[in-house]
Amino acid sequence: MRSDLFGSDKLERESLQPGLALQNSKMLKVELEGECLARTGSMVAYQGDVRFQALGSGGVGRWIKQKMTGEGVPLMRISGRGDVFLADRAADVHLIDLDPGDSLTINGRNVLAFDAALDYDVRMVQGVGMMSASGLFNCVFSGQGRIAITTRGTPVVLQVDQPTYADPQAAICWSASLRTGYHRAEQLGLGTLLGRRTGEAFTMSFAGQGFVVVQPSEEVHHGLGGEGQQGGSGNQGLLGGLLGG
């Protein structure tokens, strides 16, 4: 049988060491010898003795935060020995290695998988408040290990060495040491009063030393898990959030 489909660029890539690696730009390969954590529903294929366990947001404390805020990463634990292939709607996949002392803030909807040894929490985005369409809460990762994130298109990495601003729907991740805030980009005037809009009413601001990763797509926000409330009704109240699923 002959076909370009069977070309060497499409064959399974063998990893030099266990863990997370790119199969291609749209797919993550996990050579599993133990366990890792991944977004629920992201598995597209696997080989070997592999088990999957639903974890919600990854612990009771994080589950409560998710229910209170509408934010979180729906996770599953993958354990065993074998090869697991993960993807998220053909989004681009990128790998980030954290070293001891590193700390990274990531929009949960862009988290695909990460080493089980990493620490993570759901924390408030400081200085942005209710104005942030990227959500009041993001995931903060620290420790030593590898994370796989997704973007819609090829991103740009901005070094924050001067005042830096990004659309909150396009900002994917940034150094956790950066100070975030709110910045009105649209100038108020007669046109604004008449209902004319630029579509750039406000941006997130970043200050300090570090970097911001921005994708070329302004996704409609549905919470960190990518499965949040429709129609912008992201704040359903503590009781409603705790009881709603």
Side-chain angles (χ1 to χ4, degrees), residues 56-59 61-75 105-106 108 119-126 135-141 224-225:
S57 293
R62 299 187 188 104
W63 181 86
I64 292 175
K65 287 184 180 181
Q66 179 187 25
K67 291 303 180 181
M68 291 175 65
T69 65
E71 312 291 354
V73 185
L75 291 176
T105 295
I106 308 176
D119 295 322
Y120 91 97
D121 198 4
V122 180
R123 299 181 188 172
M124 178 177 290
V125 180
Q126 298 295 326
L136 282 171
F137 294 78
N138 278 0
C139 297
V140 179
F141 289 84
L224 287 174

Side-chain angles (χ1 to χ4, degrees), residues 6-240:
F6 305 121
S8 60
D9 60 320
K10 300 178 186 68
L11 297 179
E12 178 183 350
R13 293 186 179 181
E14 296 301 327
S15 304
L16 297 178
Q17 60 185 13
L20 281 61
L22 291 181
Q23 168 63 28
N24 55 50
S25 64
K26 309 287 187 180
M27 190 177 297
L28 180 72
K29 178 185 177 182
V30 183
E31 189 169 311
L32 198 62
E33 290 187 4
E35 64 181 32
C36 75
L37 300 179
R39 172 177 292 280
T40 299
S42 61
M43 185 275 293
V44 295
Y46 73 92
Q47 295 177 307
D49 180 17
V50 179
R51 296 172 297 279
F52 302 87
Q53 177 189 4
L55 294 179
S57 293
V60 175
R62 299 187 188 104
W63 181 86
I64 292 175
K65 287 184 180 181
Q66 179 187 25
K67 291 303 180 181
M68 291 175 65
T69 65
E71 312 291 354
V73 185
L75 291 176
M76 60 182 177
R77 186 185 305 277
I78 307 175
S79 59
R81 295 178 64 87
D83 296 328
V84 182
F85 298 88
L86 307 173
D88 182 14
R89 296 172 295 168
D92 295 330
V93 181
H94 310 271
L95 297 176
I96 300 175
D97 289 307
L98 294 187
D99 294 321
D102 290 342
S103 187
L104 183 66
T105 295
I106 308 176
N107 278 342
R109 66 178 179 267
N110 299 101
V111 176
L112 180 61
F114 56 94
D115 290 336
L118 284 173
D119 295 322
Y120 91 97
D121 198 4
V122 180
R123 299 181 188 172
M124 178 177 290
V125 180
Q126 298 295 326
V128 179
M130 298 299 294
M131 303 303 295
S132 175
S134 68
L136 282 171
F137 294 78
N138 278 0
C139 297
V140 179
F141 289 84
S142 60
Q144 184 172 14
R146 177 166 284 187
I147 307 172
I149 68 170
T150 59
T151 65
R152 302 295 169 185
T154 303
V156 59
V157 179
L158 302 177
Q159 293 297 323
V160 183
D161 51 8
Q162 57 184 315
T164 301
Y165 309 92
D167 188 300
Q169 295 176 346
I172 296 302
C173 62
W174 56 87
S175 304
S177 60
L178 291 177
R179 301 185 303 277
T180 57
Y182 160 83
H183 175 74
R184 173 168 287 279
E186 186 177 65
Q187 297 297 311
L188 296 177
L190 180 59
T192 305
L193 296 176
L194 294 175
R196 298 169 185 166
R197 293 291 187 268
T198 65
E200 309 296 343
F202 76 94
T203 62
M204 289 181 65
S205 63
F206 301 89
Q209 294 294 321
F211 65 88
V212 181
V213 178
V214 181
Q215 68 177 2
S217 173
E218 299 179 18
E219 294 185 303
V220 176
H221 175 63
H222 295 306
L224 287 174
E227 302 171 349
Q229 299 82 359
Q230 301 291 328
S233 57
N235 298 297
Q236 57 179 324
L238 299 185
L239 184 59

